[in-house]
Amino acid sequence: MRFIFKNENDFEVKWNNFVQKNMNVSYVYTLNALESQNHYARLPSNDEFSFLIEENDEVLAICPLVFQKNSENINSFSWSDYEGYIFSPSISEKLPIKIKRSLEKKCYEKIDELARDNQVSKIMLMLDPCTNLYDFNILTKYGYLDTT
């Protein structure tokens, strides 16, 4: 299992294939949507921290991760739009639930690691309401506050 970041070869092809093949992924996960959000954001932003998880040439999960620095020089993984929230990782719908939970954990651990390494003090994630497959806010399981 390996993490692939946006600056690596074939990232875009692999990401777009994942989005097209998974019914639980809405348009907000497309690279075009990410680029549009970055272009029109009120604060300078980039999604160079976005990553996917691959095993045996199959993408198992994607995680859009947008980095911003606000006027007080606070680093965050957030968007100046969507009330500041970026969408949480998306896991392949084809996988058994136990593997999905394991991949979720790996995604949130990687987000936390990237935050520590880049002095990120604020992470704002939300579940995509069009594709949420949970009957509770799964983000609370990984230490995020429930602001719903």
Side-chain angles (χ1 to χ4, degrees):
M1 192 170 303
R2 75 183 197 130
F3 292 89
I4 300 174
F5 290 87
K6 188 170 182 182
N7 61 351
E8 296 181 49
N9 289 339
D10 297 331
F11 175 89
E12 288 188 27
V13 170
K14 291 175 181 187
W15 184 288
N16 288 331
N17 285 341
F18 180 89
V19 170
Q20 289 175 348
K21 292 178 181 176
N22 284 275
M23 295 300 291
N24 66 333
V25 180
S26 72
Y27 77 95
V28 296
Y29 287 91
T30 65
L31 291 176
N32 286 342
L34 284 170
E35 288 173 23
S36 176
Q37 284 296 326
N38 290 337
H39 181 74
Y40 292 106
R42 292 187 298 266
L43 296 172
S45 60
N46 74 65
D47 59 348
E48 296 303 314
F49 292 97
S50 294
F51 63 86
L52 56 87
I53 299 176
E54 179 183 66
E55 185 172 63
N56 299 326
D57 291 326
E58 181 181 358
V59 176
L60 305 176
I62 60 174
C63 181
L65 211 49
V66 178
F67 178 86
Q68 290 187 321
K69 184 181 291 237
N70 70 14
S71 58
E72 290 88 35
N73 283 328
I74 295 174
N75 294 340
S76 67
F77 288 140
S78 64
W79 255 330
S80 53
D81 299 317
Y82 289 114
E83 302 298 321
Y85 294 94
I86 54 178
F87 290 96
S88 60
S90 180
I91 312 297
S92 174
E93 65 190 9
K94 298 180 242 175
L95 300 171
I97 194 72
K98 189 173 182 179
I99 294 173
K100 284 182 182 181
R101 296 297 176 255
S102 172
L103 284 167
E104 273 176 357
K105 185 176 181 187
K106 288 181 188 317
C107 284
Y108 292 110
E109 286 171 349
K110 180 56 82 174
I111 291 169
D112 290 342
E113 176 188 324
L114 290 168
R116 277 189 307 276
D117 292 349
N118 294 281
Q119 294 78 45
V120 169
S121 58
K122 186 177 187 179
I123 303 171
M124 297 180 69
L125 298 173
M126 72 179 208
L127 301 172
D128 182 354
C130 298
T131 61
N132 185 13
L133 306 175
Y134 302 102
D135 54 358
F136 68 100
N137 187 343
I138 189 72
L139 297 173
T140 59
K141 180 178 177 182
Y142 299 101
Y144 295 91
L145 299 177
D146 185 355
T147 60
T148 57

